[in-house]
Amino acid sequence: MDEVLLRSLTPNVLGIIVRRGADFASAEDAVQEALVEALRVWPAEPPRDPKGWLVTVAWRKFLDATRSDTSRRRREDLVDVEPAPGPAATADDTLQLYFLCAHPSLTPPSAVALTLRAVGGLTTRQIAQAYLVPEATMAQRISRAKRTVGQVRFDQPGDVATVLRVLYLVFNEGYSGDVDLAAEAIRLTRQLAAAIDHPEVAGLLALMLLHHARRAGRIAADGSLVPLAEQDRGRWDTSAIAEGVGILQTALARDRLGEFQAQAAIAALHADAPAAEETDWVQIVEWYDELARLTDSPVVRLNRAVAVGEADGPRAGLVALAEVDDALPRHAAVAAYLHERDGDLETAARLYAEAAEKAPNLAERTHLTRQAARLNTRRRG
């Protein structure tokens, strides 16, 4: 079973079902049921036209649900227009669905969560981790959002800021998580940049390109994670870096700074350094200060502590880290790194082990466990 194929087809199938008359919540449920059916049937009987098969089954699932809902008997006449099985249209409705999910009737956090679940393909657990909330809380938020949009018309698409937030989180999950969604996020952001002249859209596209350009260097041959300072910069995609820097420079010249432009500027400074020791950490700290002013994000303050540790020494970094909530994910990993640089190997090893237990994915967990083992070996030697 090609789950990647199913994931890639889902947005288009969902868009087709919505266009044929289904409200979004019912369409999303029908498509999910069709995906479950595909997982059951396709291994033994793979269809010649996977997309057409999903559209047909999803539409029938929607009609079945409509028939069983006595409060919506007016939809019984849709049975007569059931489409015949066959090749489906090739239109890509994914970006339109992102805007529809960002409906004005929803709060931005609820709109983002709904889009990530229904269109982006992320699990409730992955979304909860991105928002730093319990999985049960996120499940309730998504359920409420689905109920809300089930009562409204999709004639008022949401704002660009909410769509950008969704694309950013989808990219981050693809870049650092267990599911590869980064390339799809870049594709959709390119579409958005072509349609909307907005410096933050350009900033997000630049940020994605600059991060994605380093992807080949992030994973070693054995699948282990390679820290930025240890990456082979010869493996970085220089054409993507050049494109990202060019897009960023054009956006910054408009003097309408936003958080994605500031993040892209930090990524550009990393990409511009020929070697890790030549990184301009002082300027990176200055950009983190700008980013903190724009977002007041605890994650930004955590990353800023690392930059301060590089620019002014590990003890200065630990002072900056003391101002960040120690319950924040990756706090222990940052503390371990700064303590190691300060020469406190015992504390660093303990914190690396603690961080490994809280790691959000296997690659990061393995890396942190190895760091703890490395320091314990050094101490014993």
Side-chain angles (χ1 to χ4, degrees):
M1 168 57 58
D2 191 342
E3 294 189 23
V4 174
L5 173 62
L6 283 175
R7 187 181 298 278
S8 68
L9 291 174
T10 298
N12 288 343
V13 174
L14 182 58
I16 290 169
I17 301 304
V18 169
R19 288 204 309 273
R20 285 178 173 167
D23 63 89
F24 184 87
S26 298
E28 201 264 343
D29 289 340
V31 172
Q32 292 298 322
E33 289 188 34
L35 294 175
V36 171
E37 186 72 5
L39 290 169
R40 185 182 69 82
V41 173
W42 285 13
E45 300 179 30
R48 285 180 294 181
D49 178 16
K51 184 177 178 181
W53 189 98
L54 285 172
V55 170
T56 300
V57 173
W59 184 252
R60 287 174 177 167
K61 295 288 186 185
F62 165 70
L63 292 179
D64 288 343
T66 300
R67 295 189 191 102
S68 66
D69 188 346
T70 56
S71 67
R72 298 181 181 182
R73 292 189 180 279
R74 64 183 178 80
R75 297 187 181 183
E76 288 287 344
D77 57 357
L78 292 176
V79 176
D80 298 330
V81 297
E82 178 179 344
T90 58
D92 183 358
D93 300 305
T94 308
L95 193 56
Q96 180 187 7
L97 287 170
Y98 272 57
F99 274 96
L100 292 178
C101 284
H103 196 274
S105 64
L106 297 174
T107 63
S110 294
V112 171
L114 175 64
T115 314
L116 290 172
R117 182 70 186 92
V119 188
L122 273 64
T123 65
T124 303
R125 176 183 59 81
Q126 290 169 324
I127 302 169
Q129 289 176 343
Y131 269 89
L132 309 180
V133 300
E135 184 174 347
T137 300
M138 183 54 64
Q140 292 175 355
R141 182 180 299 176
I142 293 172
S143 295
R144 286 195 299 268
K146 289 174 67 175
R147 287 195 298 270
T148 299
V149 298
Q151 308 298 320
V152 300
R153 293 178 58 84
F154 284 110
D155 55 0
Q156 292 181 282
D159 64 6
V160 174
T162 300
V163 174
L164 288 179
R165 176 63 51 190
V166 174
L167 289 169
Y168 173 69
L169 292 174
V170 170
F171 176 82
N172 277 351
E173 185 59 38
Y175 184 71
S176 61
D178 300 322
V179 181
D180 186 359
L181 299 171
E184 174 67 359
I186 291 174
R187 183 183 72 83
L188 293 173
T189 306
R190 282 192 187 279
Q191 285 186 10
L192 188 59
I196 299 176
D197 182 19
H198 192 295
E200 273 293 83
V201 176
L204 179 58
L205 179 57
L207 174 63
M208 289 179 174
L209 290 170
L210 289 164
H211 277 309
H212 207 58
R214 303 199 302 258
R215 187 161 190 170
R218 293 184 71 246
I219 305 297
D222 62 359
S224 61
L225 196 63
V226 182
L228 176 61
E230 300 173 19
Q231 289 177 19
D232 178 1
R233 300 185 178 219
R235 300 187 65 195
W236 291 359
D237 185 343
T238 54
S239 62
I241 291 173
E243 182 185 5
V245 169
I247 293 171
L248 173 62
Q249 289 174 338
T250 300
L252 290 175
R254 300 177 66 174
D255 198 24
R256 290 169 54 193
L257 184 64
E259 64 171 297
F260 295 123
Q261 295 169 73
Q263 288 193 54
I266 293 169
L269 286 168
H270 283 297
D272 186 56
E277 56 271 17
E278 297 179 57
T279 304
D280 188 346
W281 286 106
V282 172
Q283 193 173 169
I284 287 176
V285 171
E286 292 173 354
W287 275 111
Y288 271 122
D289 289 339
E290 287 285 348
L291 193 53
R293 180 181 59 80
L294 290 166
T295 68
D296 192 31
S297 164
V299 175
V300 169
R301 293 196 296 273
L302 181 69
N303 292 332
R304 179 184 178 278
V306 176
V308 170
E310 297 291 350
D312 301 327
R315 294 193 180 182
L318 288 168
V319 170
L321 184 63
E323 301 175 3
V324 181
D325 184 357
D326 61 8
L328 196 68
R330 298 190 172 92
H331 185 285
V334 170
Y337 174 73
L338 292 172
H339 277 290
E340 179 184 356
R341 289 198 60 225
D342 196 38
D344 186 351
L345 302 188
E346 180 179 357
T347 300
R350 175 178 56 79
L351 288 169
Y352 275 130
E354 178 183 322
E357 295 178 359
K358 302 176 182 178
N361 56 68
L362 181 59
E364 191 169 335
R365 187 178 310 122
T366 301
H367 170 71
L368 292 168
T369 300
R370 289 177 175 175
Q371 294 292 82
R374 174 180 59 80
L375 292 188
N376 284 326
T377 300
R378 281 180 59 186
R379 289 172 54 222
R380 288 192 296 268

